[in-house]
Each structure stands twice: as C-alpha cells, then as structure tokens.
Amino acid sequence: MTISFSATRYYTSESLSYVGESLLEAPYLLRPFRPDDLSSVVEINRVCLPENYSAYFFMEVFKSCPEAFIVAERESRVVGYIMCRLEFGFSDVRRFRMVRKGHIVSVAVLPEYRRQGIGRELVTSATRALELHGAEECFLEVRTANDEAVKLYKDMGFDTVRTVSHYYHDGADAFLMSIRLPYSPASAGRP
C-alpha cells in the first residue's frame, strides 16, 4: 500500500482565517522535513525546549514516519518543526482497546515567530499525516507549567488524560493529552 501525502502548504494572512480573525501575520510555508534541515531543527530544539535531542534521535523519528515530520519556513528560514512517530498500544481515550496511535514527540516554533498560527498548523498537518497512516488517536506530553501550549492543545480538541509525575529530566510534571482521530479543526473548540 502506498500512501501519498504532501505537507507543502503556503499560508498568508489572507488565505487562512477563523471566525473572521486572521491567525497569520506573514506568509510562511509548511513542508516535509528534509535531512538538510537537521541542523536548523536541532538549533530550534536547543533554543526553544529544555529537552534537547541528538541528531541521531531526530533522524530515527524521521525514518519512522517521515510524512509527520514537518517544518515551517519563512523567507527560506526554518522557524519551527513538529516530529511524530506511530506507536501501537492501549488507547488513551477508549478503555481496554489496543490502537495505532500517533505520538507528537516534539513541536517548537522560534520565539519571534510564535502567536502567528504556525504551531497550530504544524499540529493540524501532522495529525492529518498520522491519520493517513492509520492512527486512531494522537497523544503528546506537555509541561504542566506551559500554560500557553496547554491552552492551544485544549483549543484544538486535545483532552488531558492524566498527569505524569516527574516526566522531564528536571523533575517537572507533564500532562498527557490525547485526541481521537480523524481530527477536524471545525469541530475543535475555538476561543
């Protein structure tokens, strides 16, 4: 079975809006990650997140589900990324059921490009790619203290499944959040 997916999408403030409000302040491009993006993605990870991964780890996640490893680009500069993998295990939303799940391993947008809708679009594009690979749900872990990210995920329809104590290396707790697929932005909550 061959799955065809093109994550390349161009966005401008005129081309995407919800409830009459523009989400985007400037044009940007979402496209599939390429191995020559690795140094940019590693740098974004280092700048944005306390959890820093090795180049090897990024490439292993890329190999597991390349269609769900997406970068955001503005003026030929990679300014954000999302990387996901497929897993099989107990459902986070359906009791005692084994399912194929998408796992959002990491998502980050450089600070100067935040609050422009890029993170939301990265998550939306990745969940669609995971659906094409048969994922029935998608989950992620997020620091309980990261109020902005938690709010974004809740607005997108993710539910908090549980709190994972001492999830991060520094001892911080994480919320495990999950959403049933197929993901539909129209049905997700809007502020």
Side-chain angles (χ1 to χ4, degrees):
M1 175 168 99
T2 302
I3 296 175
S4 176
F5 175 76
S6 174
T8 304
R9 297 192 313 207
Y10 293 89
Y11 294 96
T12 65
S13 57
E14 294 82 36
S15 66
L16 181 66
S17 61
Y18 293 110
V19 195
E21 292 181 31
S22 175
L23 290 176
L24 306 171
E25 296 174 4
Y28 70 95
L29 163 78
L30 291 187
R31 64 168 173 78
F33 168 87
R34 298 183 303 245
D36 63 338
D37 296 321
L38 183 60
S39 62
S40 297
V41 168
V42 168
E43 180 63 13
I44 293 168
N45 174 252
R46 187 193 64 73
V47 167
C48 297
L49 301 170
E51 300 76 45
N52 298 143
Y53 306 113
S54 69
Y56 174 81
F57 180 75
F58 281 100
M59 292 309 295
E60 286 302 303
V61 173
F62 170 66
K63 289 176 193 172
S64 73
C65 190
E67 295 85 359
F69 197 144
I70 302 166
V71 297
E73 190 177 274
R74 176 151 178 230
E75 297 172 354
S76 300
R77 178 183 182 203
V78 175
V79 299
Y81 73 89
I82 188 167
M83 66 175 178
C84 308
R85 64 180 170 221
L86 287 164
E87 300 177 3
F88 189 77
F90 282 107
S91 171
D92 293 316
V93 294
R94 301 171 189 134
R95 291 181 54 108
F96 307 116
R97 184 161 177 230
M98 297 293 284
V99 295
R100 190 169 201 171
K101 306 191 289 186
H103 182 183
I104 297 176
V105 176
S106 183
V107 59
V109 176
L110 288 171
E112 61 269 32
Y113 295 96
R114 292 182 186 160
R115 306 189 69 74
Q116 297 179 33
I118 296 171
R120 178 184 297 272
E121 284 302 313
L122 285 167
V123 173
T124 299
S125 293
T127 56
R128 287 183 178 143
L130 293 165
E131 286 175 44
L132 288 174
H133 283 281
E136 296 178 54
E137 58 192 61
C138 182
F139 75 98
L140 56 85
E141 297 86 7
V142 59
R143 286 177 178 267
T144 57
N146 190 345
D147 295 332
E148 192 172 326
V150 170
K151 181 182 181 327
L152 170 68
Y153 299 135
K154 284 184 178 181
D155 287 349
M156 294 185 75
F158 282 80
D159 293 317
T160 302
V161 176
R162 66 181 166 276
T163 302
V164 183
S165 297
H166 308 293
Y167 178 80
Y168 294 101
H169 289 293
D170 63 3
D173 296 342
F175 289 131
L176 187 137
M177 300 183 78
S178 187
I179 190 169
R180 287 177 104 159
L181 298 178
Y183 173 67
S184 172
S187 65
R190 292 257 171 252

